[in-house]
Amino acid sequence: MTRKILLLPVLFFSIFSFGQSQNKSFVVKHTTAIIKPDGALEEPIWETTPSISTFNQYFPLDTVQAQNQSEIKILYDDKNLYIGIKAYSIGKNYALQSLRRDFRGSGNDSFSFLFDTYNDGTNAFLFGINPQGVLREGLISNGGTDINNLNLSWDVKWQGDSKIYDGYFTAEIIIPLTSLKFKEGATKWRFNSYRIDTQSNERSSWVKIPQNQSISNLAFMGEMVFEKPLGESRSPLAIIPYINAISQKIFKTNEGFNNLKVGGDAKVAIGNNLNLDLTLNPDFSQVEVDDQVTNLTRFEVSLPEKRQFFVDNGDLFASFGDQRDANPFFSRRIGIARDTAGNSIENKIIGGVRLSGKLTKDLRVGVLNIQTAKDEENEIPSNNNTMIALQQRVFSRSNIGVFYINRQSIGKNEFVEREDDYNRVVGLDYNLASKDNTWTGKMYAHKSFQPDDNVGNLSAGAILSYQSRKYNFDIKGISIDEDFSSDLGFIRRTGIFKGIVGAERVFWPKKGIIQNHGFRFFPIFLWDPSLDFKNTDYDLMSSWKATFKDQSKFEIELTNSFTFLFDSFDPTNTDGALELPGDQGYHYNSVKFGYQSDMRKRFAFKGGSEVGQFYNGKRFSVESMMTLRFQPKVFLSLVLNYDQITLPDPYASADIWLLSPKIDVTFSKSIFWSTLIQYSNQKDNLGFNSRLQWRFAPLSDLYIVYNDNYFVDSFQPKTRSINLKLTYWLNL
């Protein structure tokens, strides 16, 4: 079956000749003028600099020019890129969540710039600014095909500000060339810019983008041509030390301790194209806590990586395999281990090194090596964690990647079984992206190795998607051997063959309140190869989804499911409950609907409900999130999820609550305070996380972080800590 999967998508290699019809370009003039990024555009050089204009509407229509046009002017010298913006508006009632850096674009007025500095249509730098002068920067990977390909956790030094006038706002930006990576002697970059204008309910972009594609899609870009080639621009050596004073108490063991930690990171540029990142005794106490989720499945849930060390070029390491079912490298595994009771606990990282970037125009390289500490009390050995990845671009936007992963325990440890001494995985991926992104897909084959277990252990798959204005199709086949293992990966389930065939028809009405709507049929099947391909699971999903012209959305979905339980299982996760019997199949049906209001409004919400059968019982679920903003200082949000699981006697029934209010206050562009409260009776945890941040210099911060956790039933404290952390970004 694996051979069939590998042969199915041979046609991938012939699908790369599709192209876009646009070839917009402009010349970027070299300057010696001194420009101050105060947002006023008062320097004389701006008056003689040609404008980039004629923005095209993306929403609500993609067939006309933008009603409120924008003008961009770009200059450069030997050190910096300079951008001037003039954006016309119908008023001054601009929408924003807060004054915090790295805001999300949806529901906020903003202007964003995309620079594909290697002209590969795969990766790009994003810089953005809003009318209040709040900045954001991010990395776009995997062609920018959806919102998940934008990572705003990336940080780099640059400057910008804005000013608001009657009928328009202006902005000025200075981006040091050392903050970007590009080939020495480059004469052009691929470029695009897009704007979100909440007052006119309009989104627009310089290069026209069809609405069935993401507005950040790198397939649709023009060119910025430099008046003279770019020179050598090596980034300075950056040293980012920290000092963290910690006071913590664990109430279960009545242990308390005070500690002072020091460590830091370093960033070393190797030429124009490579980054060398070093970390010693890293500390992630200032990183936002994970959002708790309710899990009613038998399988683990993956959560996003937020630690800065793993972000830059993170896609080069993390994009292999299938992101949902068989991802061989999941960086959150590093620094986490299981104790003797099977609980996940922090495993100290001693230090690490990572080299990533471009070797040639088309060849990317990534090398990562991190050492974790030994924890003899919890029977956790010291591990060396290594990954080497290479990615070669082929055709216009596709690439071939290979990788090697090794998790190796260090030293002799009596509590480590031989089979756990090491885990190694090698693999080959082909990623398809046609020039206009109509065709996308993937084909991969991975093999794992453990002591005395090197036969089989394969994970392989093929995915192909077709996306047009009216029709979307998906086909996917994945095979994961029962003994395939990646200790540094996220493998939801082994011993399966999974097949998906999806189809969607989208309609674009010319009149009425609906902007677009579509019907989708999406069946998922799982078979067990060890049982003569017995069908063990399926979900037959049919849905109708509509987007309205005010950007609100509605969806309804019908699902017919079958689940074969090999082992007994309690979906309520109730202590001491009688589990549903294994070696038995369960048929059940459900209906789900959801609605999202206009997120531009100061009060907005999204929510939905699911009603129907669940295994041999019933389920009623409600998911909701409400937001309220008092511009520009205060942003409030509330997540409220409820699941009522009713199973027949003698099995357990449960009411599962997840309640999560958050207060976000931005006193200024440099002082932020946020408090997150999370209540989950499934996790038996009530948590408080409060964080005060003062950004006293660019990318240099003072944090005060308070954490408090309680048992839900008894309201007895679990753990409590307070951190005072200082970081400073120093360029040498």
Side-chain angles (χ1 to χ4, degrees), residues 206-217:
W206 180 59
V207 171
K208 183 179 178 181
I209 302 173
Q211 285 186 345
N212 62 292
Q213 302 286 350
S214 166
I215 198 170
S216 60
N217 196 310

Side-chain angles (χ1 to χ4, degrees), residues 242-485:
Y242 80 84
I243 182 170
N244 186 8
I246 311 164
S247 180
Q248 184 175 15
K249 184 171 183 178
I250 302 174
F251 289 89
K252 184 177 180 180
T253 59
N254 200 29
E255 293 179 284
F257 61 87
N258 300 313
N259 193 14
L260 188 67
K261 293 177 63 177
V262 294
D265 296 342
K267 294 180 177 291
V268 183
I270 301 177
N272 277 35
N273 305 310
L274 293 170
N275 294 323
L276 179 64
D277 293 288
L278 307 168
T279 187
L280 179 65
N281 194 28
D283 175 83
F284 306 110
S285 60
Q286 85 284 2
V287 176
E288 291 185 1
V289 297
D290 291 319
D291 295 329
Q292 292 190 14
V293 297
T294 299
N295 185 8
L296 300 178
T297 74
R298 297 161 285 163
F299 312 110
E300 187 181 11
V301 176
S302 65
L303 297 169
E305 177 63 83
K306 299 179 181 180
R307 298 172 294 181
Q308 180 66 212
F309 179 79
F310 296 97
V311 170
D312 198 7
N313 285 315
D315 68 293
L316 180 58
F317 300 94
S319 61
F320 288 94
D322 181 79
Q323 298 303 294
R324 176 176 173 79
D325 293 299
N327 185 354
F329 183 79
F330 181 54
S331 60
R332 286 185 60 115
R333 296 288 187 212
I334 302 175
I336 299 292
R338 293 193 179 275
D339 61 15
T340 54
N343 301 310
S344 293
I345 62 173
E346 181 182 356
N347 183 208
K348 179 183 176 182
I349 296 176
I350 298 172
V353 58
R354 190 181 64 161
L355 176 70
S356 61
K358 290 269 192 176
L359 286 179
T360 68
K361 176 185 175 183
D362 296 324
L363 179 61
R364 299 174 72 199
V365 61
V367 179
L368 180 145
N369 185 270
I370 294 179
Q371 187 73 34
T372 58
K374 182 177 181 178
D375 184 348
E376 195 158 356
E377 179 182 353
N378 291 294
E379 298 186 358
I380 300 169
S382 175
N383 284 293
N384 184 263
N385 307 278
T386 301
M387 182 173 184
I388 302 172
L390 294 171
Q391 188 183 84
Q392 172 70 39
R393 184 173 71 135
V394 294
F395 310 132
S396 59
R397 298 175 60 239
S398 303
N399 61 72
I400 296 174
V402 295
F403 71 87
Y404 168 77
I405 297 172
N406 182 44
R407 194 278 307 158
Q408 180 87 47
S409 63
I410 304 299
K412 294 183 178 181
N413 304 282
E414 294 181 356
F415 50 80
V416 176
E417 301 291 338
R418 171 171 166 74
E419 62 188 30
D420 296 323
D421 275 347
Y422 66 82
N423 171 257
R424 295 163 187 159
V425 187
V426 296
L428 171 69
D429 285 41
Y430 170 69
N431 296 289
L432 166 73
S434 66
K435 194 170 184 179
D436 64 354
N437 213 63
T438 299
W439 292 93
T440 58
K442 175 186 282 283
M443 179 177 65
Y444 70 89
H446 304 160
K447 179 176 174 57
S448 67
F449 301 86
Q450 292 80 229
D452 306 319
D453 184 16
N454 299 321
V455 178
N457 304 345
L458 295 174
S459 170
I463 305 164
L464 183 63
S465 298
Y466 171 82
Q467 187 176 33
S468 69
R469 190 174 184 84
K470 294 182 178 180
Y471 297 97
N472 300 315
F473 299 100
D474 300 278
I475 183 170
K476 176 177 177 179
I478 292 177
S479 175
I480 308 174
D481 286 351
E482 186 173 356
D483 293 329
F484 178 80
S485 174

Side-chain angles (χ1 to χ4, degrees), residues 168-197:
Y168 64 94
F169 73 88
T170 60
E172 278 178 306
I173 290 172
I174 298 181
I175 303 173
L177 291 173
T178 56
S179 295
L180 301 165
K181 291 296 179 184
F182 55 88
K183 184 179 180 181
E184 182 180 352
T187 58
K188 64 181 180 180
W189 295 348
R190 297 176 75 243
F191 169 83
N192 201 10
S193 176
Y194 66 85
R195 177 188 175 190
I196 297 177
D197 179 2

Side-chain angles (χ1 to χ4, degrees), residues 74-76 80-83 115 173-175 189 224 226:
I74 303 182
L75 298 164
Y76 77 109
N80 301 306
L81 199 66
Y82 303 93
I83 305 175
F115 300 101
I173 290 172
I174 298 181
I175 303 173
W189 295 348
M224 51 187 294
F226 295 99

Side-chain angles (χ1 to χ4, degrees), residues 507-519:
F507 300 88
W508 304 83
K510 295 182 179 180
K511 297 181 180 180
I513 62 173
I514 295 179
Q515 197 260 349
N516 72 77
H517 67 100
F519 296 91

Side-chain angles (χ1 to χ4, degrees), residues 10 21 56 104 107 109 148 166 172 307 339 378 393 619:
V10 172
S21 59
N56 298 279
R104 274 287 177 185
D109 281 275
N148 296 320
D166 290 333
E172 278 178 306
R307 298 172 294 181
D339 61 15
N378 291 294
R393 184 173 71 135
R619 174 184 177 183

Side-chain angles (χ1 to χ4, degrees), residues 517-531:
H517 67 100
F519 296 91
R520 188 186 191 202
F521 180 59
F522 196 75
I524 303 174
F525 295 91
L526 277 83
W527 296 270
D528 189 331
S530 67
L531 298 176

